[in-house]
Amino acid sequence: MAYGQMEPAFAGMKADSGDDRVESYATAAALDFGVVVTDANGAVTAGGVGAGITVHSHAVQGYKYPAQSCVSVMVQGNVWAKVATGETVVVGAAKFNAAGELAATGTTLKNAAVRQVIAVTGGNIAEVQLNVPRTAA
């Protein structure tokens, strides 16, 4: 049985096995894996001001959290995030659009940095390091 070539990563996948922090939230609307979300009174929505990035769950079928479900959100650590179609994201500050996808311009995800961008089937994804410590000025 041949498996063929597998993708190196996918949106919502943890990027490494280092220390991280993942918090649980509720959601009213369906959310993709690997998108920036904002907490609004205990329920997360895509985009907003940015609190973290949704993490893949083996308990969820497909690549989307359904509405009215528990969502895992990484707030510290390294995770692969969706890059908006047609956007060119580069290493440096992590920015995202209203849909929570990484973009060249938009809202800056505080204390987060893009570490690398790779091409996968269907588009690009970027490794984002969340809760980057501040450096001396």
Side-chain angles (χ1 to χ4, degrees):
M1 178 175 194
Y3 289 99
Q5 181 66 32
M6 293 179 64
E7 298 285 359
F10 56 87
M13 182 174 142
K14 290 184 177 185
D16 61 28
S17 60
D19 289 337
D20 61 45
R21 180 180 172 127
V22 176
E23 298 179 353
S24 297
Y25 292 91
T27 183
L31 289 171
D32 289 336
F33 294 153
V35 296
V36 178
V37 293
T38 297
D39 175 19
N41 298 320
V44 291
T45 58
V49 296
I53 296 175
T54 56
V55 180
H56 167 263
S57 171
H58 290 290
V60 177
Q61 293 184 344
Y63 289 95
K64 184 177 285 219
Y65 284 104
Q68 309 290 322
S69 66
C70 181
V71 178
S72 296
V73 177
M74 184 175 287
V75 295
Q76 179 179 350
N78 292 11
V79 63
W80 290 98
K82 285 180 91 171
V83 173
T85 303
E87 290 285 337
T88 301
V89 172
V90 296
V91 171
K95 297 182 181 206
F96 62 95
N97 62 20
E101 297 173 335
L102 298 185
T105 61
T107 305
T108 299
L109 185 54
K110 293 179 183 172
N111 295 331
V114 173
R115 295 298 182 206
Q116 63 177 315
V117 180
I118 63 171
V120 294
T121 302
N124 292 335
I125 58 174
E127 180 185 355
V128 177
Q129 183 179 12
L130 298 166
N131 203 15
V132 176
R134 289 191 169 178
T135 57

